[in-house]
Amino acid sequence: EVQLVESGGGLVQPGRSLRLSCTTSGFKFGDYAVSWVRQAPGKGLEWVAFIRSKVYGDIREYAASVKGRFIISRDDSKSTAYLQMNSLKIEDTAVYYCTRDPHPHCSGTSCPHDHWGQGTLVTVSS
Amino acid sequence: DIVMTQSPDSQAVSLGERATINCKSSQSVFFSSNNKNCLAWYQQKPGQPPKLLIYWASIRESGVPDRFSGSGSGTDFTLTINNLQAEDVAVYYCQQYYTTPQFGQGTKVEIK
């Protein structure tokens, strides 16, 4: 069974940092791209970042709203992806989901998300 | 950025009837490398993460009931739910993945 489990969320002050983890099982992690998608309370979905597999060049892309502050990475030996969030802002408050993105379904740029974790809540507040 | 606009924002449909959700992109999401449209549909029920229903605009994800169908090309797309069931109450999102991904604002489907 494919599973993605996010962790590392919590309450953090504006300007501080937080690192989210996405631990996966049930599939060959290294064969897939991974994205982070967030959802502010009562709002819609916002894609945040993705990282392709090493076979596809380990390419990383970011939404304009987080570029320069967030860093996505992966450790295939641990089947885990990470999102390092720096210089956090109040508007970064959201549930953060990690997703599995199958390369055969991807365009030249990005991918749909065929499995999602349950999400971890990040609250940025003073 | 490509802007995705869904209509309507909400829809109340009787059980057994059809729900139709439209999604319009600000530019074409047609991927010439495989002649397919980079458009996905997701279903999100309260308190749950989204679930992929449709990708490449019309291909149903494994396990998705065949009452869900996707159509359209270029900039205009439709998600159709035939024979609406109580368990289909949810918010539905379209997403383009031709460029960096963008979601529509969501359409809430309720029972009339």
Side-chain angles (χ1 to χ4, degrees), chain A residues 47-51 60-73 83-84, chain B residues 100:
Chain A
W47 169 81
V48 172
F50 79 75
I51 183 168
R60 307 163 199 217
E61 294 282 355
Y62 299 91
S65 57
V66 306
K67 199 168 187 178
R69 299 189 297 123
F70 289 12
I71 300 171
I72 189 171
S73 62
L83 187 68
Q84 177 67 42
Chain B
T100 50

Side-chain angles (χ1 to χ4, degrees), chain A residues 76-97:
Chain A
D76 291 353
S77 69
K78 296 181 178 179
S79 298
T80 300
Y82 304 95
L83 187 68
Q84 177 67 42
M85 304 186 296
N86 302 321
S87 304
L88 281 161
K89 304 176 181 180
I90 290 175
E91 53 264 38
D92 294 320
T93 295
V95 173
Y96 284 73
Y97 297 101

Side-chain angles (χ1 to χ4, degrees), chain A residues 6-86:
Chain A
E6 303 91 341
S7 60
L11 175 62
V12 62
Q13 293 179 326
R16 303 298 290 262
S17 298
L18 207 59
R19 189 177 84 154
L20 305 183
S21 299
C22 172
T23 304
T24 73
S25 61
F27 65 100
K28 191 175 179 184
F29 180 77
D31 286 351
Y32 290 83
V34 175
S35 288
W36 288 92
V37 177
R38 69 185 180 184
Q39 187 168 35
K43 301 297 184 183
L45 302 170
E46 180 188 15
W47 169 81
V48 172
F50 79 75
I51 183 168
R52 292 229 188 214
S53 69
K54 287 182 169 44
V55 171
Y56 284 84
D58 206 28
I59 294 169
R60 307 163 199 217
E61 294 282 355
Y62 299 91
S65 57
V66 306
K67 199 168 187 178
R69 299 189 297 123
F70 289 12
I71 300 171
I72 189 171
S73 62
R74 62 189 298 154
D75 184 338
D76 291 353
S77 69
K78 296 181 178 179
S79 298
T80 300
Y82 304 95
L83 187 68
Q84 177 67 42
M85 304 186 296
N86 302 321

